[in-house]
Amino acid sequence: MTFSHILGYPRIGADRELKRATEAYWKGDADRASLEATGRELRKRHWQDQREAGLDLVTVGDFAFYDQVLNVSLLLGAVPARFAAKAELERGEVDLDTAFRMARGRAPSGEPAAACEMTKYFDTNYHYLVPELHQGQDFRLASTRLFDEVVEAQQQGHAVKVALVGPLTWLWLGKERGESSFDRLALLDGVLAVYAEVFARLAKLGVEWVQLDEPALAQDLPGDWKVAFERAYHHLQGSGVKLLVANYFGGLGDNLTLAVNLPVAGLHLDAVRAPQEVETVVDRLLPHKVLSLGVIDGRNIWRADLAALRDQWTNAASRLGERLWIAPSCSLLHVPVDLERETELDAEFRSWLAFARQKLDETVTLARLLAGRVRPEDEALLAACVQAIASRRESPRIHRPEVGARLAALGEADSQRPSPYLQRAEQQRRALGLPLFPTTTIGSFPQTAEIRAARRDHKAGRLSADDYHTRMREEIAQAVRLQEELGLDMLVHGEAERNDMVEYFGEQLDGYAFTRFGWVQSYGSRCVKPPILFGDVSRPAPMTVEWSRYAQSLTGAPMMGMLTGPVTMLQWAFVRDDQPRATTCRQIALALRDEVCDLEAAGIRAIQIDEPALREGLPLRKAEWQEYLDWAVEAFRLSASCVADATQIHTHMCYSEFNDIIASIAELDADVITIETSRSDMELLDAFRDFDYPNEIGPGVYDIHSPNLPEVDWMVALMEKAAERISLERLWVNPDCGLKTRQWEEVTPALANMVQAAKELRRRH
Ligand code: GLN
Ligand code: ZN
């Protein structure tokens, strides 16, 4: 027999029930009891799905009202003092509202306080709440939810495996807080004591297996962290349960020996991302340990090639026998719930896909194929799979030879502007007639309720295409008028017509598909619906040219064209697994290049190509960074390089950590980059100064996420700091990011002040 299990299941619900229930609770439209009931209902359904699919164990511990990393913080009593009375922690149960206040700063009960920081979980788009660590911090078991959920599952007749973020990864994801710096590994013993207590209680409940997620093993670990891994798992030995240490999102790399030798009962590997490590691990695995092979892709939506996987892992199966477990590569949290609901996708396309529910079946069938215990339903799934894989391999919807031919014909000159920056800048200054400290914005203006209503009506057929376009043109005209009145120098059209910066382009490009219910949790109750990049990408027709042409026709000032860059278009989608990401990215770059050419031909003299996702595409291991950066930079340049020297290329990135990628940012060779800086007091420009960054920079002078009105003096002072680092003629004045989430009442006075600040700067310099 070959065991099958999953590392975790999406908790949001096929209808986003959890989103609705938590948001209703936060608003006061539903009480605690009904929220808890929704949680119970979802857990019940998800365990039932796992059992019906034929998994040997159901996973408990993956449910969370907000976040699974936060759950461990609650379990450990790691609740910052601003949220909880000590008494609450000592009673041994953190209240649910305390958890919500940690997550979002407020809850139906309790005093509001600054929420915990949130950031992306490894290389996913899932955001976790960063554990706050303090010198000398105490830990104590402060939540019984996990045990209640175990009992709940057992009462429903399930064989339970518990899944938790492991102690080292929990610490790894945390951040030190407080005055003096300290080594967070000093907290490990206290953390381990609580984990041991948790295991003892789980053992008493009859739980045999506990999976500890330790994807920190997929990253470069400093020496003391490796030692800490060994120490921790020696300490946890004999705590009454069998431990399965799970690594995912990448290979073990130089942590392989460490991981294989941990004194635990089993190891889980991500055999989708690092199949090459499996044989070594099998060779070196002690005979009492199990190996859980993550072979079904937990990060993507493609149907697994079961026949190929069976062949690939037959040898491992025969060597390990019952010690082999089969699983998805990571938790299924990162894929949508159920493909069954996508009734609007055509049958062929649908047959190429598998969401979480379908991946359960794939996992079970593959385990039975490898064990040679095939049932009729496995035969049926295998047959359907063989057919789907063949149709996907050959489909003319995916493979369009002209796209490949165009890529193959590219030469070095195609990703190269005609002249170097200094010469281009000369020509652009003349062509655009901009003053010193030119002012601009990042692209979007407020997406008002009226705009969204018009789009909804148009989609539902209540508003004709003509009427919708007229409405959007009115919005654009209004935005242009306002910018002229305010005296901005480089105008934008405001992006009224765009629902989302990726979806808007994806919908117009060949090679992209959209689901109706393909929601994936991003953080808390927030879900995103990433498009599916399934085929060779090309642009059948211009996408933004008419809007930009119209906007430019309304003004004598330069109007900026506005596009989403190739790396961001790739990064925020489910991508093909049948060709390298780099190839897909270059295809998108070529499609965008067509748009850039057409915008220029339509009289647009400046074009912004946004790349907010460039940095998050960095691989988990530093050794792989350069390769990624090389193709990412090339893709950007490919999209931008068809224009004449006098046409100004802008880019925008909304983050502030440029230190380790500054060389690649410079290689993009955008004439102007606008970035987020206002919260760092312009200190992040140090990276640009130290590198001698050659082109123009617009360091955001105010934080668009804050509702406060930015003062003129304050922005002037910030720009003076910028001017200490970057020469004057290369500085722009602009906000931090797009304004689509703000109100006009906030935007208008803020931009008016910003223009005043620029005037004051010009007077002084
Ligand atoms: N042009 C986009 C906007 O202004 C950029 C958004 C972003 O980078 N996140 O909304
Ligand atoms: Zn931004």
Side-chain angles (χ1 to χ4, degrees), residues 89-109:
L89 290 182
E90 276 158 10
R91 271 199 313 277
E93 189 59 55
V94 186
D95 183 69
L96 186 58
D97 278 0
T98 304
F100 284 143
R101 285 186 302 123
M102 285 172 73
R104 29 196 315 275
R106 58 198 184 281
S109 73

Side-chain angles (χ1 to χ4, degrees), residues 104-367:
R104 29 196 315 275
R106 58 198 184 281
S109 73
E111 282 302 307
C116 295
E117 187 186 333
M118 193 163 57
T119 194
K120 293 194 181 206
Y121 190 63
F122 296 90
D123 62 350
T124 70
N125 191 30
Y126 175 82
H127 300 67
Y128 69 95
L129 286 158
V130 178
E132 292 183 19
L133 308 173
H134 292 275
Q135 192 158 25
Q137 192 168 350
D138 281 329
F139 297 94
R140 57 163 61 81
L141 184 54
S143 169
T144 56
R145 270 186 187 272
L146 177 66
F147 312 114
D148 300 342
E149 290 176 13
V150 167
V151 171
E152 203 177 292
Q154 288 170 333
Q155 282 172 350
Q156 291 164 29
H158 300 301
V160 167
K161 179 203 68 185
V162 165
L164 287 176
V165 175
L168 271 308
T169 294
W170 184 79
L171 274 177
W172 181 252
L173 296 175
K175 271 196 186 157
E176 290 101 354
R177 293 292 151 101
E179 303 290 90
S180 47
S181 72
F182 68 101
D183 178 7
R184 68 183 106 157
L185 285 175
L187 303 177
L188 182 58
D189 286 339
V191 170
L192 292 177
V194 181
Y195 271 86
E197 198 180 337
V198 170
F199 298 159
R201 283 184 71 163
L202 290 173
K204 254 198 211 130
L205 290 173
V207 172
E208 188 185 0
W209 281 98
V210 175
Q211 160 200 325
L212 292 173
D213 288 11
E214 295 283 17
L217 289 166
Q219 293 200 286
D220 302 317
L221 290 179
D224 52 343
W225 280 82
K226 296 190 188 188
V227 174
F229 256 98
E230 282 172 0
R231 193 158 64 78
Y233 282 92
H234 275 96
H235 184 103
L236 293 174
Q237 231 177 334
S239 51
V241 291
K242 293 180 179 166
L243 299 181
L244 176 78
V245 168
N247 180 49
Y248 47 76
F249 301 154
L252 290 162
D254 67 350
N255 299 321
L256 188 139
T257 303
L258 165 71
V260 172
N261 291 332
L262 290 176
V264 292
L267 193 60
H268 170 90
L269 300 183
D270 185 333
V272 174
R273 294 257 171 111
Q276 74 284 358
E277 287 184 349
V278 174
E279 204 175 298
T280 316
V281 172
V282 174
D283 286 344
R284 295 167 59 178
L285 202 69
L286 287 175
H288 67 275
K289 291 190 188 176
V290 307
L291 181 64
S292 164
L293 268 195
V295 294
I296 303 293
D297 195 347
R299 292 288 297 276
N300 216 332
I301 42 61
W302 301 109
R303 182 176 206 142
D305 186 344
L306 293 173
L309 288 172
R310 177 190 54 195
D311 296 346
Q312 188 178 3
W313 303 116
T314 296
N315 185 37
S318 66
R319 289 180 66 189
L320 290 169
E322 300 210 337
R323 292 160 54 217
L324 177 70
W325 291 14
I326 292 297
S329 56
C330 60
S331 170
L332 298 173
L333 180 67
H334 310 288
V335 292
V337 181
D338 194 357
L339 182 64
E340 282 298 307
R341 317 207 32 172
E342 299 295 334
T343 46
E344 283 176 18
L345 295 177
D346 67 272
E348 184 191 41
F349 184 69
R350 227 169 65 140
S351 80
W352 300 341
L353 306 177
F355 292 176
R357 179 69 191 76
Q358 289 68 41
K359 285 174 191 282
L360 300 178
D361 295 332
E362 294 181 337
T363 304
V364 171
T365 290
L366 186 64

